[in-house]
Short mmCIF file of all heavy atoms in Angstrom, two decimals:
data_model
loop_
_atom_site.label_atom_id
_atom_site.label_comp_id
_atom_site.label_asym_id
_atom_site.label_seq_id
_atom_site.Cartn_x
_atom_site.Cartn_y
_atom_site.Cartn_z
N ARG A 15 192.34 173.57 -3.65
CA ARG A 15 191.72 172.25 -3.73
C ARG A 15 192.55 171.26 -2.90
O ARG A 15 193.76 171.20 -3.01
CB ARG A 15 191.68 171.79 -5.19
CG ARG A 15 190.89 170.51 -5.39
CD ARG A 15 190.90 170.07 -6.83
NE ARG A 15 192.16 169.41 -7.12
CZ ARG A 15 192.89 169.62 -8.20
NH1 ARG A 15 192.49 170.47 -9.12
NH2 ARG A 15 194.01 168.97 -8.38
N VAL A 16 191.87 170.50 -2.05
CA VAL A 16 192.55 169.48 -1.26
C VAL A 16 192.10 168.08 -1.65
O VAL A 16 192.78 167.11 -1.35
CB VAL A 16 192.37 169.70 0.27
CG1 VAL A 16 193.11 170.94 0.71
CG2 VAL A 16 190.92 169.76 0.67
N GLU A 17 190.96 167.94 -2.28
CA GLU A 17 190.48 166.66 -2.80
C GLU A 17 189.86 166.91 -4.16
O GLU A 17 188.98 167.75 -4.27
CB GLU A 17 189.44 166.03 -1.87
CG GLU A 17 189.99 165.53 -0.57
CD GLU A 17 190.97 164.37 -0.72
OE1 GLU A 17 190.81 163.59 -1.68
OE2 GLU A 17 191.87 164.27 0.09
N PRO A 18 190.25 166.28 -5.23
CA PRO A 18 191.41 165.43 -5.29
C PRO A 18 192.67 166.24 -5.02
O PRO A 18 192.73 167.43 -5.33
CB PRO A 18 191.40 164.85 -6.70
CG PRO A 18 190.52 165.76 -7.49
CD PRO A 18 189.59 166.41 -6.54
N CYS A 19 193.64 165.58 -4.48
CA CYS A 19 194.87 166.22 -4.02
C CYS A 19 195.56 166.99 -5.14
O CYS A 19 195.65 166.51 -6.27
CB CYS A 19 195.81 165.14 -3.47
SG CYS A 19 197.32 165.79 -2.78
N LEU A 20 196.03 168.20 -4.80
CA LEU A 20 196.82 168.97 -5.76
C LEU A 20 198.14 168.27 -6.02
O LEU A 20 198.78 167.77 -5.10
CB LEU A 20 197.11 170.37 -5.21
CG LEU A 20 196.01 171.40 -5.31
CD1 LEU A 20 196.40 172.65 -4.54
CD2 LEU A 20 195.72 171.75 -6.74
N ARG A 21 198.57 168.27 -7.24
CA ARG A 21 199.85 167.68 -7.59
C ARG A 21 200.93 168.75 -7.46
O ARG A 21 200.64 169.95 -7.39
CB ARG A 21 199.77 167.12 -9.00
CG ARG A 21 198.66 166.05 -9.08
CD ARG A 21 198.60 165.44 -10.42
NE ARG A 21 199.85 164.74 -10.67
CZ ARG A 21 199.94 163.46 -10.97
NH1 ARG A 21 198.86 162.75 -11.04
NH2 ARG A 21 201.10 162.91 -11.21
N LEU A 22 202.18 168.32 -7.41
CA LEU A 22 203.30 169.23 -7.19
C LEU A 22 203.30 170.40 -8.17
O LEU A 22 203.42 171.56 -7.77
CB LEU A 22 204.62 168.47 -7.26
CG LEU A 22 205.88 169.31 -7.11
CD1 LEU A 22 205.94 169.95 -5.73
CD2 LEU A 22 207.12 168.47 -7.36
N GLY A 23 203.15 170.11 -9.44
CA GLY A 23 203.15 171.18 -10.45
C GLY A 23 202.04 172.19 -10.23
O GLY A 23 202.23 173.40 -10.41
N GLU A 24 200.85 171.71 -9.86
CA GLU A 24 199.71 172.60 -9.60
C GLU A 24 200.00 173.52 -8.42
O GLU A 24 199.65 174.70 -8.44
CB GLU A 24 198.45 171.78 -9.34
CG GLU A 24 197.98 170.99 -10.53
CD GLU A 24 196.84 170.03 -10.21
OE1 GLU A 24 196.90 169.36 -9.15
OE2 GLU A 24 195.90 169.96 -11.00
N ILE A 25 200.63 172.98 -7.38
CA ILE A 25 200.97 173.79 -6.21
C ILE A 25 201.99 174.85 -6.57
O ILE A 25 201.84 176.03 -6.21
CB ILE A 25 201.49 172.89 -5.06
CG1 ILE A 25 200.38 171.98 -4.55
CG2 ILE A 25 202.07 173.74 -3.92
CD1 ILE A 25 200.85 170.88 -3.62
N LEU A 26 203.03 174.47 -7.31
CA LEU A 26 204.06 175.42 -7.70
C LEU A 26 203.49 176.54 -8.57
O LEU A 26 203.87 177.70 -8.44
CB LEU A 26 205.20 174.70 -8.40
CG LEU A 26 206.02 173.76 -7.50
CD1 LEU A 26 206.95 172.89 -8.33
CD2 LEU A 26 206.79 174.54 -6.44
N ILE A 27 202.56 176.21 -9.45
CA ILE A 27 201.91 177.24 -10.27
C ILE A 27 201.01 178.12 -9.41
O ILE A 27 201.02 179.34 -9.54
CB ILE A 27 201.11 176.59 -11.43
CG1 ILE A 27 202.07 176.03 -12.47
CG2 ILE A 27 200.15 177.60 -12.07
CD1 ILE A 27 201.41 175.23 -13.56
N ALA A 28 200.25 177.51 -8.50
CA ALA A 28 199.34 178.28 -7.65
C ALA A 28 200.08 179.31 -6.81
O ALA A 28 199.58 180.41 -6.58
CB ALA A 28 198.54 177.35 -6.74
N PHE A 29 201.28 178.97 -6.36
CA PHE A 29 202.08 179.89 -5.56
C PHE A 29 203.08 180.68 -6.40
O PHE A 29 203.99 181.32 -5.86
CB PHE A 29 202.79 179.14 -4.44
CG PHE A 29 201.85 178.73 -3.34
CD1 PHE A 29 201.56 177.39 -3.14
CD2 PHE A 29 201.25 179.66 -2.53
CE1 PHE A 29 200.69 176.99 -2.14
CE2 PHE A 29 200.38 179.28 -1.53
CZ PHE A 29 200.10 177.95 -1.33
N LYS A 30 202.89 180.64 -7.74
CA LYS A 30 203.69 181.42 -8.68
C LYS A 30 205.19 181.17 -8.56
O LYS A 30 206.01 182.07 -8.69
CB LYS A 30 203.38 182.91 -8.53
CG LYS A 30 201.94 183.24 -8.86
CD LYS A 30 201.65 184.70 -8.68
CE LYS A 30 200.30 185.17 -9.03
NZ LYS A 30 199.17 184.39 -9.01
N LYS A 31 205.56 179.90 -8.33
CA LYS A 31 206.97 179.52 -8.29
C LYS A 31 207.47 179.10 -9.67
O LYS A 31 208.66 179.18 -9.95
CB LYS A 31 207.20 178.38 -7.29
CG LYS A 31 206.85 178.74 -5.87
CD LYS A 31 207.78 179.81 -5.36
CE LYS A 31 207.49 180.15 -3.91
NZ LYS A 31 208.27 181.26 -3.44
N ILE A 32 206.56 178.62 -10.51
CA ILE A 32 206.88 178.27 -11.90
C ILE A 32 205.71 178.71 -12.77
O ILE A 32 204.60 178.95 -12.28
CB ILE A 32 207.16 176.76 -12.10
CG1 ILE A 32 205.92 175.91 -11.77
CG2 ILE A 32 208.37 176.31 -11.32
CD1 ILE A 32 206.06 174.44 -12.12
N THR A 33 205.95 178.77 -14.07
CA THR A 33 204.88 179.09 -15.01
C THR A 33 204.32 177.79 -15.59
O THR A 33 204.94 176.73 -15.48
CB THR A 33 205.42 179.96 -16.17
OG1 THR A 33 206.37 179.20 -16.91
CG2 THR A 33 206.06 181.24 -15.66
N ARG A 34 203.17 177.89 -16.21
CA ARG A 34 202.57 176.72 -16.85
C ARG A 34 203.50 176.19 -17.95
O ARG A 34 203.65 174.99 -18.11
CB ARG A 34 201.20 177.07 -17.42
CG ARG A 34 200.54 175.88 -18.07
CD ARG A 34 199.06 175.86 -18.03
NE ARG A 34 198.43 176.09 -16.76
CZ ARG A 34 198.17 175.16 -15.84
NH1 ARG A 34 198.58 173.92 -16.05
NH2 ARG A 34 197.55 175.45 -14.74
N LYS A 35 204.16 177.08 -18.67
CA LYS A 35 205.09 176.67 -19.73
C LYS A 35 206.26 175.89 -19.14
O LYS A 35 206.66 174.86 -19.70
CB LYS A 35 205.60 177.92 -20.47
CG LYS A 35 206.69 177.65 -21.49
CD LYS A 35 206.13 177.04 -22.76
CE LYS A 35 207.18 176.98 -23.84
NZ LYS A 35 207.60 175.67 -24.19
N GLU A 36 206.80 176.35 -18.01
CA GLU A 36 207.91 175.63 -17.37
C GLU A 36 207.45 174.24 -16.92
O GLU A 36 208.19 173.26 -17.06
CB GLU A 36 208.45 176.42 -16.18
CG GLU A 36 209.21 177.66 -16.59
CD GLU A 36 209.55 178.57 -15.44
OE1 GLU A 36 208.76 178.64 -14.47
OE2 GLU A 36 210.60 179.23 -15.51
N LEU A 37 206.22 174.16 -16.39
CA LEU A 37 205.68 172.86 -15.99
C LEU A 37 205.53 171.94 -17.21
O LEU A 37 205.93 170.77 -17.17
CB LEU A 37 204.34 173.01 -15.27
CG LEU A 37 203.61 171.71 -14.94
CD1 LEU A 37 204.45 170.85 -13.98
CD2 LEU A 37 202.25 172.00 -14.35
N GLU A 38 204.97 172.46 -18.28
CA GLU A 38 204.78 171.65 -19.49
C GLU A 38 206.11 171.16 -20.04
O GLU A 38 206.23 170.01 -20.45
CB GLU A 38 204.01 172.46 -20.54
CG GLU A 38 202.56 172.68 -20.17
CD GLU A 38 201.85 173.68 -21.07
OE1 GLU A 38 202.49 174.24 -21.98
OE2 GLU A 38 200.65 173.90 -20.85
N ASP A 39 207.13 172.03 -20.01
CA ASP A 39 208.46 171.63 -20.50
C ASP A 39 209.04 170.51 -19.62
O ASP A 39 209.59 169.54 -20.13
CB ASP A 39 209.41 172.82 -20.52
CG ASP A 39 209.06 173.84 -21.59
OD1 ASP A 39 208.24 173.53 -22.47
OD2 ASP A 39 209.60 174.97 -21.51
N ALA A 40 208.91 170.65 -18.30
CA ALA A 40 209.42 169.64 -17.38
C ALA A 40 208.67 168.32 -17.55
O ALA A 40 209.27 167.24 -17.52
CB ALA A 40 209.34 170.13 -15.94
N LEU A 41 207.35 168.39 -17.73
CA LEU A 41 206.57 167.16 -17.93
C LEU A 41 206.93 166.49 -19.25
O LEU A 41 206.95 165.26 -19.34
CB LEU A 41 205.07 167.47 -17.87
CG LEU A 41 204.53 167.80 -16.49
CD1 LEU A 41 203.07 168.26 -16.58
CD2 LEU A 41 204.66 166.62 -15.54
N GLU A 42 207.23 167.28 -20.26
CA GLU A 42 207.65 166.71 -21.54
C GLU A 42 208.96 165.93 -21.36
O GLU A 42 209.11 164.82 -21.88
CB GLU A 42 207.84 167.84 -22.56
CG GLU A 42 208.08 167.35 -23.97
CD GLU A 42 208.13 168.49 -24.96
OE1 GLU A 42 207.26 169.38 -24.90
OE2 GLU A 42 209.06 168.48 -25.80
N ILE A 43 209.88 166.49 -20.59
CA ILE A 43 211.13 165.78 -20.28
C ILE A 43 210.83 164.50 -19.51
O ILE A 43 211.33 163.43 -19.82
CB ILE A 43 212.10 166.69 -19.49
CG1 ILE A 43 212.58 167.84 -20.36
CG2 ILE A 43 213.27 165.88 -18.94
CD1 ILE A 43 213.30 168.93 -19.60
#
């Protein structure tokens, strides 16, 4: 997806650099 723009966390998950749980933990912080 390019519109609406992908956010950093979505890109990292799409390319399997982080898991959804890691993203949720970072967003909680």
Side-chain angles (χ1 to χ4, degrees):
R15 188 182 80 225
V16 292
E17 290 295 330
C19 183
L20 280 172
R21 301 183 64 123
L22 177 63
E24 294 172 317
I25 293 168
L26 292 169
I27 288 173
F29 287 112
K30 297 179 177 26
K31 298 295 183 186
I32 62 172
T33 64
R34 181 150 310 274
K35 173 77 171 112
E36 289 170 328
L37 174 62
E38 290 170 359
D39 290 347
L41 288 173
E42 189 175 314
I43 293 168

